[in-house]
Every structure is written in C-alpha cells, then in structure tokens.
Amino acid sequence: MRPYRIDIPQVVLDDLHRRLAATRWPAELPGVGWDRGVPLGYLRELAEYWRTGYDWRAAEARLNRYSQFTTEIDGANVHFLHVRSPEPEAVPVIVTHGWPGSVADFLPVIGPLTDPRGHGCDPADAFHLVVPSLPGYGFSGPVAQTGWDTDRIARAWAELMRRLGYQQYLAQGGDFGTVVSLLLSTADPERVTGVHINMLLNGPLDDPSGLDGLSVSELARLDLLPRFNADQSGYMKLQSTRPQTLAYALTDSPVGQLAWIVEKFREWTDSARVPEDAVDRDHLLTTVMMYWLTATAGSSAQLYYEIADLLPVNTAGWKVAPNPVPLGVAVYPKDMFLPVRRFADRDFPNILRWSEFDRGGHFPAMEEPDLFVADLREFARAVRRYRAGGR
C-alpha cells in the first residue's frame, strides 16, 4: 500500500490547452440536433469552456482531500480512495464505477456516507468507503496483461479488502460496477454481507409466455434493450472489438475524448436538453480529465473486449450467477436499461430491497446524490436486520 497524491505537471495541462485551441473541427448537417451525435455548436462551446474556464487544480485539490493509495494486485496497479469514517462502528463498503466513470463519480456522496453526523444524520448510518479505479481506468493506469475481465477484477477487490483488514463489508456498483459487485459476492461470500446495485439488466426470457400479464410500462422496459442495440450501442461494439484502433483517436484528441464521453452523459442521464441539465459541467469535465490525463481511453475500452460475450449487443442479458447474499436494487428512470421485477426475482431470488425513483439516470451518485445516499443507508439497515434474523 503506497500513499498516492494526484499532481499533474503543468506542462500536461498546457499541452491540453494547446490541443484544444488547435482543434480541427468537422462540418455538420443543418438541423440534426443530437440525432447523429454531439452537435458542433454545443461541443465547440464546451471545449472552449474546458480550455478557458474549467479549473483542473480545483478538481485535483478536491480529490486530494481524501486518502488515496496504490497497490499491486495480480500484476496490476490499483488506485483507490480509502475514506474511513470517524464513527468506529461504520460499515465498510467497496464502491465500483463503470464506463465512462471514475472514482470522481462519488465525490458528491463521500461526505454524507462517511460522516452522517456531520451532515445532520444518524451516525449509525456511517460507512468506511473504499473506492477503487477499475484496472485500466484513471490512475490505475493501463494494465500490462490481457485477461482483466470482471471475474478477475472481483477477485482483485476481494484481495484489496483483505489487505485493508475488513472482515465483512458491503459492495456497491453500477454499470461494470454492477457485474463486479455481483461477482465479488460469489468470490468472497463469507465476507460480503450484501450487494447494492443501481443498474440491473434482466436475463433473457426462456419462454415467450413469460410476457403474459406484464403491464404496458413493463413491456416498455423490455423494449429498451433492442432499442439500445439498434441506436446507442455503436460505442460498445467498437470498444469490444477494436479498442486499440479507437485508442489512437481518443488519446490524441481531447475534443474526441470529450465528445465520446459527453454523448453518453446526454443519452444516459435525466437531462432535458444537454448533459449539464443532470450533471454539473465542471464535474462532467473532471470525468473527461480522468481519462485524458491518464491516457486511458484505450485501456479502459479493453474491458469491453475481455467480456464481449456478456455485453448487451451479444446477449439478451448479463449471464451472472445469482449472488449468495442479500441484494438491493435501485432503479432510476432515465438509465439505459430498466429491470422488470418479475424477471429480477427469477434471476436473483434473494432481493432484499427494491427501490424505484422518479428521477435520475445512469450516474446517480452525481445526478441525485441525496437519493443515492439515502437508499444505500436503507439497504445497510435492511442487511443488519436480515443478519439479526429479521427481514
């Protein structure tokens, strides 16, 4: 375990600003809006703000307020935040981001989760937080080997929590973090006491008669996957088949990296017109910076290649074994996929808590931190009751 502090050399920031100023912009067809990708006018204005208004040093200082470390696990460098609560009886939880996310996703919730007393809430709801960067992402940096799939990451997380001395802990995640957290419960079932996820992709229907009795809204949820595959999955197909080719463009062009990520924040968040309707502009740019500064556009995409057989474009649902511990599912209405409870119960018979919200999308810790915090607290309480013999 080596203490880590983010300290980006000024020459790297100067190079970014130079590249932004020298961007070669494409043409655009009139009147197409977001239908064919990120609009030229929007992206030019955002890129100019990135160059002249955004303050990386402020974001860097915010991240550095929290204890960070790196450690080598199974040949990979793993960067993580480790924020211990002032409450001695706090519940340990490992929180895993997805793509295009980073540890910065959770900055809005670190304070309330670790220090509820300081935020006017019950100190019994405190957590010790472990927030790792996925291998190949951000300051975990590129991996040096093939084979870093979600199973291997889950085993690495089990080893990380062992090294930190946690005998029992919760796991939380969304996107890839959902899969990793579910697999972690099977890799370390004696220590993982519960899993909380904010994205669940239902498994495939084995029998068309399973559609009988579904409501109009439930049928609409099932329709999200084919719609996603038809209209929004191009990035996934490219990252899962040719991540190295993509890496050259995104590692060389900051505006390319910006557009690649911003498009997903527009499509997967509870935004009305632009991503900033749902996520603060500076926070959005900090997410982009976590990829740009570490040159991990390509290495992060390698995870798609490693688990291509599991991806929605190649299957009707994630093929993940039922986790052996209590499960909490949080459903935000503007996420890319929305689960149907009937099929969730079939695939995961140990669901302990199911929450449906009226706002929020794929990045709830950034979009709706209050909802995210409250639901994780409620799930932890439910797990305590469950382990004490109640439900």
Side-chain angles (χ1 to χ4, degrees):
M1 298 285 181
R2 298 174 297 276
Y4 186 83
R5 182 175 178 82
I6 302 171
D7 186 14
I8 300 301
Q10 185 59 43
V11 65
V12 175
L13 302 181
D14 293 341
D15 175 69
L16 167 63
H17 296 154
R18 178 187 62 78
R19 289 169 180 265
L20 288 170
T23 299
R24 185 183 182 206
W25 294 97
E28 180 185 45
L29 290 172
V32 297
W34 287 82
D35 290 346
R36 303 187 183 207
V38 183
L40 177 61
Y42 168 80
L43 198 66
R44 291 192 75 149
E45 190 274 328
L46 182 59
E48 181 63 13
Y49 175 77
W50 190 10
R51 186 178 74 88
T52 62
Y54 171 78
D55 184 356
W56 164 253
R57 293 305 183 196
E60 188 178 67
R62 189 180 181 194
L63 284 159
N64 283 333
R65 289 209 304 262
Y66 304 109
S67 298
Q68 300 172 65
F69 301 87
T70 59
T71 189
E72 183 178 313
I73 302 177
D74 193 17
N77 177 67
V78 175
H79 161 263
F80 62 99
L81 277 62
H82 186 203
V83 188
R84 288 188 59 84
S85 171
E87 307 296 338
E89 301 301 317
V91 175
V93 59
I94 183 167
V95 181
T96 307
H97 67 84
W99 184 90
S102 72
V103 296
D105 292 8
F106 304 103
L107 287 174
V109 301
I110 290 176
L113 288 176
T114 58
D115 186 19
R117 187 195 302 269
H119 289 76
C121 298
D122 188 347
D125 290 327
F127 295 93
H128 299 308
L129 280 185
V130 179
V131 189
S133 298
L134 288 167
Y137 285 66
F139 296 104
S140 283
V143 291
Q145 304 168 325
T146 60
W148 272 98
D149 59 12
T150 46
D151 285 287
R152 191 170 178 181
I153 295 170
R155 294 193 299 271
W157 279 195
E159 172 61 16
L160 175 60
M161 296 303 277
R162 185 195 67 77
R163 292 185 188 182
L164 291 173
Y166 291 123
Q167 298 305 309
Q168 292 187 325
Y169 58 93
L170 297 175
Q172 199 287 327
D175 195 89
F176 281 138
T178 289
V179 184
V180 170
S181 297
L182 292 171
L183 292 172
L184 179 55
S185 72
T186 62
D188 200 11
E190 294 184 356
R191 294 194 300 155
V192 177
T193 58
V195 172
H196 180 276
I197 57 177
N198 53 264
M199 176 180 168
L200 179 62
L201 180 57
N202 286 137
L205 294 173
D206 301 319
D207 182 356
S209 65
L211 297 175
D212 295 343
L214 291 181
S215 68
V216 173
S217 63
E218 288 172 328
L219 289 171
R221 289 186 176 196
L222 292 180
D223 192 46
L224 289 175
L225 178 57
R227 286 171 54 194
F228 171 85
N229 282 341
D231 184 58
Q232 295 186 17
S233 63
Y235 81 96
M236 183 181 290
K237 196 65 175 177
L238 185 55
Q239 294 193 153
S240 65
T241 58
R242 299 295 185 271
Q244 186 62 35
T245 302
L246 176 67
Y248 299 114
L250 300 189
T251 304
D252 187 59
S253 169
V255 166
Q257 179 70 90
L258 178 65
W260 195 247
I261 289 178
V262 161
E263 179 184 87
K264 301 312 161 195
F265 274 81
R266 168 58 161 68
E267 293 177 341
W268 300 347
T269 62
D270 194 357
S271 59
R273 299 176 301 104
V274 294
E276 294 94 317
D277 293 337
V279 176
D280 175 79
R281 171 172 279 201
D282 284 358
H283 201 153
L284 175 60
L285 289 171
T286 296
T287 297
V288 177
M289 289 289 271
M290 298 294 277
Y291 288 81
W292 175 259
L293 295 174
T294 57
T296 51
S299 60
S300 63
Q302 296 292 339
L303 181 52
Y304 283 85
Y305 188 94
E306 298 289 354
I307 67 165
D309 290 344
L310 297 177
L311 294 173
V313 293
N314 295 319
T315 178
W318 283 327
K319 299 172 183 176
V320 179
N323 61 304
V325 301
L327 178 64
V329 180
V331 182
Y332 294 87
K334 297 300 182 179
D335 208 342
M336 65 174 94
F337 310 118
L338 297 177
V340 174
R341 181 66 190 266
R342 178 197 299 183
F343 305 124
D345 285 333
R346 178 201 64 186
D347 296 337
F348 300 94
N350 54 345
I351 294 175
L352 184 63
R353 177 176 171 81
W354 182 280
S355 306
E356 300 251 359
F357 298 102
D358 62 0
R359 61 187 188 277
H362 192 62
F363 307 94
M366 285 190 279
E367 295 181 66
E368 300 292 344
D370 291 345
L371 295 182
F372 180 91
V373 168
D375 197 59
L376 185 55
R377 287 173 178 169
E378 287 291 345
F379 176 67
R381 293 172 193 154
V383 170
R384 286 196 293 268
R385 291 193 298 268
Y386 177 87
R387 293 177 63 81
R391 188 173 175 90

